[in-house]
Amino acid sequence: MIVPIRSASKQPSPALGNELVIDVNANSPVIAALSFIKNHFDYATAESIAERLMPFSGRWLEPLLGDQPNTKVAATIKEATRWIEDHCDRPITVDDIAQSVSMGVRTFLRHFKAELGMPPSEYLLRTRLDIACRLLITTTLPIDKVARRCGMRSGTRLAKIFKRRLGISASDYRDGARADLGNT
């Protein structure tokens, strides 16, 4: 299928030959850009841009960009992320999270990854790291206590994760962040 793209400023005149066309079956930069927008913003934004560029694109856009997001699933996954954030200070399993939103584990894992682009375990780790970073900057708690407050078993585990993820020790992170705050 070949689809004309109209100029945003004026209607093109086919007689003048200034109408741009794309073949939606080919690797089109327009389709790639719309896919990027859908993945990094949302489906509605990609759909809106496509409609402005290519009126009546809805009939062929959906198969190219994938199904429109299910708002019920999106809300459920958002609820799961809030549950993770509220309970990340204790040991959590994927089963716990799935039960909190009344989903089966496999269905939950599939929807979570589709919505957020990462598995729940990665989201949990990032949430814990974020809390650890805030606690390191805003408190004088020893690193072992920071680790326990953000759901990690020990300061040693926190140290390993900090080194692996941030390339710096937790104490160096604390010192650097405080120095940055003191300079502002």
Side-chain angles (χ1 to χ4, degrees):
M1 171 190 306
I2 296 185
V3 179
I5 301 177
R6 70 179 163 136
S7 165
S9 60
K10 62 179 184 169
Q11 286 287 12
S13 169
L16 296 176
N18 61 354
E19 187 172 276
L20 176 63
V21 295
I22 62 167
D23 182 354
V24 298
N25 297 317
N27 290 331
S28 165
V30 173
I31 300 304
L34 290 172
S35 292
F36 179 85
I37 291 165
K38 177 199 143 206
N39 292 334
H40 289 82
F41 295 97
D42 57 26
Y43 188 94
T45 303
E47 185 178 47
S48 172
I49 291 169
E51 186 60 32
R52 292 188 78 200
L53 290 172
M54 301 163 280
F56 310 110
S57 60
R59 66 179 175 259
W60 59 266
L61 182 66
E62 189 173 307
L64 293 172
L65 294 182
D67 295 334
Q68 293 187 30
N70 181 335
T71 54
K72 185 174 188 268
V73 169
T76 301
I77 298 305
K78 183 73 173 163
E79 182 183 335
T81 62
R82 281 192 299 272
W83 190 90
I84 290 169
E85 291 161 7
D86 291 344
H87 296 88
C88 69
D89 60 335
R90 64 180 184 84
I92 296 175
T93 65
V94 172
D95 190 51
D96 295 334
I97 305 165
Q99 283 182 5
S100 78
V101 292
S102 302
M103 274 188 166
V105 174
R106 293 181 71 181
T107 302
F108 172 71
L109 285 169
R110 182 170 38 88
H111 287 305
F112 195 97
K113 178 131 176 143
E115 285 293 317
L116 298 180
M118 69 182 86
S121 57
E122 175 67 17
Y123 186 85
L124 175 61
L125 182 61
R126 287 182 184 189
T127 301
R128 286 176 170 165
L129 263 175
D130 183 51
I131 292 169
C133 289
R134 281 189 270 138
L135 287 172
L136 288 168
I137 295 170
T138 60
T139 70
T140 57
L141 290 171
I143 292 174
D144 200 48
K145 284 191 179 184
V146 168
R148 285 193 301 271
R149 285 201 180 173
C150 65
M152 300 200 191
R153 292 182 294 266
S154 67
T156 304
R157 175 152 167 74
L158 178 61
K160 285 180 183 176
I161 291 171
F162 249 83
K163 272 287 194 195
R164 188 174 353 118
R165 291 296 182 112
L166 304 177
I168 189 171
S169 72
S171 56
D172 287 346
Y173 177 86
R174 172 182 268 168
D175 295 341
R178 287 194 174 159
D180 288 346
L181 288 175
N183 292 333
T184 57

